[in-house]
Amino acid sequence: MRSFKVTFLERLKRMDGILLFCTTILSLASLVVIFGAMENFGKSKFVMQTAMTVLGFVIIFAIANFDYKYIIDKLYIVAF
């Protein structure tokens, strides 16, 4: 289990920090705006935005840590 944590932290450090920071700030801004409009739209919109934000970050980390060379090695003929 320790090797996974070390590997995950190393991969996290290799990610583009500026892009991750900007994405985080924009996501938080969207949550703040929807939280402020919760009177008009109801709590469900805020819950949905929060869930989609969390899902988006999970997908970001999954794609950023995926080894694209595996796909290139297996599907290079299809790509041509």
Side-chain angles (χ1 to χ4, degrees):
M1 184 80 171
R2 180 156 171 79
S3 63
F4 175 74
K5 288 182 182 178
V6 172
T7 304
F8 180 75
L9 291 176
E10 289 173 357
R11 289 180 177 180
L12 187 62
K13 288 178 184 177
R14 290 188 302 183
M15 290 179 67
D16 187 5
I18 294 172
L19 183 61
L20 186 62
F21 176 75
C22 291
T23 305
T24 304
I25 293 299
L26 288 171
S27 296
L28 290 175
S30 72
L31 289 173
V32 168
V33 167
I34 291 178
F35 182 76
M38 205 162 40
E39 271 182 15
N40 298 332
F41 296 111
K43 188 177 178 181
S44 65
K45 297 286 184 187
F46 180 71
V47 171
M48 180 63 75
Q49 184 71 19
T50 304
M52 292 301 115
T53 300
V54 170
L55 180 65
F57 277 105
V58 168
I59 291 171
I60 286 171
F61 288 118
I63 290 174
N65 290 313
F66 188 72
D67 187 17
Y68 66 91
K69 293 178 183 177
Y70 175 77
I71 293 175
I72 291 173
D73 289 342
K74 299 295 181 188
L75 300 175
Y76 67 94
I77 294 177
V78 176
F80 284 126

